[in-house]
Amino acid sequence: MHRVGIAGSASNSVRSRKEKRITYVLNDADDTKHCAGVNCLAVLKPSKPDNSSYLFTGSRDGTLKRWELNEEDATCSATFESHVDWVNDAVLVGGNTLVSCSSDTTVKAWDCYSNGTCTRTFRQHTDYVTCLAAAERNGNIVASGGLGGEVFIWDVEAALAPLTKSSEAADEDRLSGNNGSGISSLRTIGSSNNISMQTNLPQGYVPISAKGHKESVYALAMNDTGNVLVSGGTEKAIRVWDTRTGSKMMKLRGHTDNIRALLLDSTGRFCLSGSSDSMIRLWDLGQQRCVHSYAVHTDSVWALASTPTFSHVYSGGRDLSLYLTDLATRESILLCTKENPIQQLAMHDDGIWVATTDSSVHRWPAEGRNPQKVFQRGGSFLAGNLSFSRARASMEGSTPVPVYKEPTFSIDGIPGIIKYEIMNNKRHVLTKDNAGSVKLWEITRGVVIENYGQVSFEKKKEELFEMVSIPSWFTVDSRLGNLSVHLDTPQCFSAELYSMDLNITEKPEDDKINLARETLKGLLAHWLSKKKHKPGSQPLANGEMPPVRDISGRSITLSKVEVDGAPENDAKVYPPFEFPTTSPPSIITEGSQNGPWRKKITEMDGTEDDKDLPWWVMDCVLHNRLPPRENTKCSFYLQPYEGSTTQTVTQGKLSAPRILRIHKVINYVLEKLVLTPDMSLATVRAYIWKKPEDVVLNYRIVPGR
């Protein structure tokens, strides 16, 4: 402890620029399953009769998964991880390429037979990318649309072709998820999901832009040859495009609400649309008009799939129901009802895969080759042509009975986190998932330390309350279904504890431990070990790594940087900060170039540098340096109890670290006031009394002595 001067030190009023954040996503024990709603499906049929079929699923947890389908089970054979936000759609093109789009504003291409290799990242869109379309017989054309009103048409072969550029530019694309990426523009994604354009000029391949939408695009569809594209969204109209030029061929009106799903027949003449007005409409593009309307659903239609001959349509949406409708006779039948809204449908032989806002996907019987078999079971009804007719029938109690009660096949997900509370010790987070299970996480290790089962979240929160005050050094959210922990500099470095509080026996008990610094060391331990074994990256004698680039000239200088602890202890990861390797967390961050990326901590190969990681993270982990921190001390006055004759220890204000225990203050008082028997009066006058007046000795009788 030391005294605080009366005059406060001048503070720098100039606010520094917003630094890149680092986020880590905690994975449950079984990360082969989705933990959030499944937004998209794509079926890859076997090239040979004896080969397995594959199902690709894209989820709100930010990942895609490849499932090898057998007769009795499905095995997750690969996880595709690079998107940093929801995966909204995915399509297969050319037999071996998977293309996905995300709310992170990117379109990504993947080798669908790999273990999750992203071959290219495209950053052409300026807002969430919501939908994709591909041509069945032309593996070279893909279209993408999003909330920015943009529709881009991609020549896949040209887009994936190697770029000719300097070695330095090529080096910028090393990162997994951006391997050789043709980056047309770079954007910064902040915590509020606002997108700000940087000044990078387009380079490499640039797609055709279909201009015309003034509002968000939610649905796209393409015919088999890929020369006709249809799009729809919040403008309630369908636009038809020539993919070769990007020119608009026509505009079709009829829906009274957002268009959420589109289908084109193989020739490109007939189009089916599903809307938030609950209607399905059939359009004849040759006649440029709606030829049929089907009032089947009682709420928004979000998903459509057709039989190969385009004679029947399967539809699902917000009303939790899956219907089959004969487009010619208008006969409709309820196949099944779900517990969650239906997001997307995918035909697979005689069955249909159904994705919902739940993390599981199910395959239902559909008789896709001969749908008339379903109608022979009875229970069908005639679809009206006005939306209120279906709603009125539902209100009158004439709700159809579903044909099927149970799916024929299920790929189960795991429950996603829907509620969380940061505990007062600022190391534990209490969560509740959508199955009702309450768990306690230790975020400095990324593990569940207690599973309480289905108990009251509020009561458990009260039980776990501790009367302790630790600065808030991180934030969390559950947008991806798991806990995402966000660290921002310099706030994240504000929390410290003594080593004895963390049961770290290898250090003196009063050594201060910075929680963010030790957490970053634990997260990047694998990366650091790989980096030390890279040629030309040998550690220095003091255990530090030589800088890859000079990053000391960033927004702070060495004179303003605090060096935390001894360099020789820099590399050690203590038990309270050891992250698991069986289900490791994933890092989401962004460096000076390349844009945001995501990767498991065990898959980092040591080549990542300040182009890929925030410079302040590297400065902390490699050089043991922390940025200047505010309010790390607590000021207080130390005075005798009112009415006591005890001498005042000090006349001024004292200052000590916020984490100082009260017993330290007691020891301080004892050192100042209590006399030991072996002291002489001269010693007391010189070192305790410290005044020219006569020494006053106070005494009292201690009870029991």
Side-chain angles (χ1 to χ4, degrees):
M1 290 185 290
H2 64 276
R3 298 190 183 208
V4 177
I6 297 175
S9 59
S11 61
N12 187 0
S13 61
V14 179
R15 188 174 181 178
S16 61
R17 62 183 175 85
K18 180 76 173 176
E19 298 290 354
K20 303 294 195 311
R21 75 165 24 166
I22 187 168
T23 295
Y24 58 101
V25 183
L26 304 183
N27 292 313
D28 208 307
D30 190 357
D31 59 1
T32 63
K33 297 180 179 181
H34 287 301
C35 62
V38 178
N39 284 343
C40 54
L41 303 164
V43 176
L44 180 61
K45 296 180 180 179
S47 55
K48 297 179 181 179
D50 57 342
N51 289 355
S52 299
S53 295
Y54 291 101
L55 175 69
F56 293 87
T57 55
S59 171
R60 295 180 177 183
D61 62 17
T63 69
L64 298 108
K65 295 186 184 295
R66 182 184 68 220
W67 304 90
E68 185 175 350
L69 303 177
N70 301 309
E71 291 185 4
E72 297 182 356
D73 64 357
T75 304
C76 179
S77 55
T79 295
F80 299 81
E81 187 173 14
S82 182
H83 285 297
V84 302
D85 208 335
W86 291 7
V87 177
N88 294 323
D89 205 358
V91 293
L92 289 161
V93 294
N96 61 355
T97 300
L98 178 70
V99 178
S100 63
C101 67
S102 167
S103 297
D104 63 12
T105 77
T106 68
V107 174
K108 290 180 182 286
W110 314 78
D111 180 349
C112 64
Y113 290 109
S114 72
N115 290 327
T117 303
C118 181
T119 54
R120 196 63 57 87
T121 298
F122 303 102
R123 305 181 187 275
Q124 204 76 19
H125 286 269
T126 60
D127 208 333
Y128 293 5
V129 192
T130 56
C131 51
L132 298 170
E136 184 76 22
R137 297 177 187 169
N138 184 348
N140 204 38
I141 299 294
V142 172
S144 60
L147 298 190
E150 303 140 325
V151 175
F152 293 115
I153 302 163
W154 305 82
D155 181 320
V156 176
E157 184 178 347
L160 297 181
L163 298 176
T164 303
K165 52 185 174 180
S166 67
S167 58
E168 181 180 359
D171 183 59
E172 294 170 4
D173 297 328
R174 284 178 298 91
L175 204 56
S176 174
N178 291 329
N179 293 342
S181 60
I183 299 175
S184 51
S185 56
L186 297 177
R187 301 167 182 85
T188 301
I189 300 184
S191 58
S192 61
N193 287 323
N194 293 326
I195 313 299
S196 59
M197 292 288 294
Q198 293 185 4
T199 57
N200 301 71
L201 296 175
Q203 54 179 308
Y205 172 78
V206 177
I208 295 172
S209 177
K211 298 180 180 178
H213 281 282
K214 298 179 178 65
E215 297 178 16
S216 301
V217 177
Y218 278 104
L220 294 171
M222 201 178 289
N223 67 332
D224 280 6
T225 57
N227 63 322
V228 178
L229 174 71
V230 291
S231 61
T234 56
E235 295 173 74
K236 309 170 190 176
I238 298 171
R239 286 179 165 84
V240 185
W241 310 89
D242 183 342
T243 60
R244 294 164 294 187
T245 61
S247 58
K248 185 174 71 177
M249 299 165 63
M250 65 188 78
K251 185 176 180 180
L252 305 172
R253 295 187 177 276
H255 283 293
T256 59
D257 208 335
N258 300 342
I259 295 170
R260 298 299 302 268
L262 290 168
L263 282 180
L264 270 179
D265 76 335
S266 59
T267 65
R269 176 173 178 178
F270 292 101
C271 173
L272 277 167
S273 58
S275 168
S276 295
D277 62 14
S278 79
M279 295 295 293
I280 300 171
R281 291 182 180 271
L282 177 64
W283 307 81
D284 186 328
L285 302 189
Q287 299 180 30
Q288 299 190 23
R289 69 184 185 93
C290 176
V291 292
H292 286 294
S293 297
Y294 306 91
V296 176
H297 291 268
T298 58
D299 208 331
S300 302
V301 181
W302 288 352
L304 297 172
S306 73
T307 56
T309 59
F310 215 71
S311 60
H312 296 72
V313 63
Y314 300 86
S315 57
R318 195 173 178 182
D319 61 2
L320 320 181
S321 302
L322 175 64
Y323 288 94
L324 170 63
T325 304
D326 187 322
L327 296 178
T329 66
R330 309 181 65 84
E331 191 177 9
S332 188
I333 191 167
L334 176 62
L335 294 181
C336 65
T337 56
K338 304 284 293 176
E339 296 179 351
N340 301 280
I342 295 173
Q343 301 267 68
Q344 201 169 71
L345 305 170
M347 300 299 299
H348 186 192
D349 298 333
D350 270 347
I352 186 168
W353 287 101
V354 180
T356 70
T357 53
D358 183 49
S359 58
S360 302
V361 294
H362 305 280
R363 182 177 172 177
W364 292 82
E367 299 293 348
R369 296 189 180 96
N370 187 7
Q372 285 303 127
K373 285 185 179 180
V374 182
F375 291 102
Q376 293 171 6
R377 293 171 173 261
S380 63
F381 62 93
L382 198 64
N385 56 10
L386 296 173
S387 59
F388 70 82
S389 63
R390 182 71 188 90
R392 184 174 62 188
S394 178
M395 292 178 64
E396 292 173 354
S398 58
T399 304
V401 178
V403 175
Y404 305 109
K405 303 297 184 183
E406 297 293 335
T408 57
F409 196 92
S410 295
I411 300 176
D412 294 329
I414 56 177
I417 294 171
I418 57 173
K419 196 172 186 179
Y420 55 85
E421 182 77 20
I422 300 174
M423 298 289 96
N424 278 6
N425 63 14
K426 298 302 190 291
R427 289 189 295 128
H428 296 161
V429 177
L430 190 68
T431 64
K432 181 180 180 180
D433 61 34
N434 52 21
S437 292
V438 176
K439 299 177 181 178
L440 187 66
W441 293 77
E442 186 168 3
I443 61 101
T444 56
R445 290 195 297 140
V447 295
V448 175
I449 56 175
E450 200 71 53
N451 186 347
Y452 301 106
Q454 296 181 344
V455 300
S456 169
F457 182 84
E458 296 302 324
K459 287 183 178 179
K460 184 55 66 176
K461 185 173 71 172
E462 291 176 8
E463 288 177 19
L464 295 174
F465 174 79
E466 294 179 77
M467 194 168 67
V468 60
S469 177
I470 306 291
S472 296
W473 60 280
F474 65 91
T475 56
V476 296
D477 70 52
S478 59
R479 175 176 169 81
L480 301 179
N482 276 331
L483 272 185
S484 294
V485 183
H486 310 291
L487 302 181
D488 293 285
T489 189
Q491 301 94 319
C492 68
F493 295 110
S494 61
E496 293 177 329
L497 289 177
Y498 288 119
S499 58
M500 63 177 293
D501 300 325
L502 297 166
N503 296 319
I504 298 177
T505 57
E506 300 96 321
K507 295 174 74 70
E509 63 177 27
D510 57 351
D511 267 17
K512 289 187 289 185
I513 304 294
N514 189 285
L515 297 182
R517 180 180 177 277
E518 298 302 319
T519 300
L520 287 172
K521 280 168 52 182
L523 282 170
L524 298 176
H526 178 82
W527 168 78
L528 191 59
S529 67
K530 290 285 187 180
K531 192 174 188 66
K532 288 180 178 178
H533 290 93
K534 288 287 177 184
S537 297
Q538 298 302 315
L540 301 179
N542 60 5
E544 294 186 1
M545 292 297 299
V548 178
R549 281 180 177 79
D550 179 16
I551 60 175
S552 59
R554 296 281 185 168
S555 59
I556 58 175
T557 60
L558 286 180
S559 61
K560 298 180 181 179
V561 178
E562 301 178 29
V563 178
D564 185 45
E568 58 268 23
N569 297 327
D570 189 42
K572 185 171 180 58
V573 176
Y574 298 101
F577 305 95
E578 291 177 344
F579 286 84
T581 56
T582 51
S583 53
S586 301
I587 281 181
I588 296 177
T589 191
E590 181 178 4
S592 60
Q593 300 171 25
N594 295 335
W597 55 274
R598 171 175 173 167
K599 189 188 291 188
K600 281 188 169 51
I601 60 173
T602 52
E603 294 176 1
M604 298 180 73
D605 59 11
T607 63
E608 298 86 359
D609 58 20
D610 66 304
K611 295 193 303 298
D612 314 314
L613 291 163
W615 71 269
W616 60 268
V617 172
M618 297 187 64
D619 216 26
C620 169
V621 174
L622 293 180
H623 307 299
N624 205 24
R625 294 198 291 252
L626 304 183
R629 290 162 287 167
E630 297 179 357
N631 303 322
T632 59
K633 294 185 179 297
C634 181
S635 300
F636 64 98
Y637 291 93
L638 192 59
Q639 298 175 342
Y641 185 73
E642 186 177 352
S644 170
T645 59
T646 305
Q647 175 186 332
T648 301
V649 174
T650 176
Q651 300 297 325
K653 184 163 51 174
L654 296 172
S655 175
R658 288 179 302 188
I659 62 175
L660 188 76
R661 299 295 189 194
I662 289 297
H663 75 80
K664 294 276 189 179
V665 180
I666 294 173
N667 290 339
Y668 176 78
V669 173
L670 291 174
E671 289 175 5
K672 290 291 184 180
L673 294 183
V674 178
L675 309 181
T676 59
D678 59 347
M679 282 185 179
S680 67
L681 285 175
T683 301
V684 172
R685 175 182 285 278
Y687 294 101
I688 305 297
W689 185 249
K690 296 181 180 178
K691 288 185 290 185
E693 295 87 358
D694 292 339
V695 176
V696 177
L697 298 178
N698 295 300
Y699 65 90
R700 68 186 178 95
I701 299 174
V702 179
R705 290 195 178 181

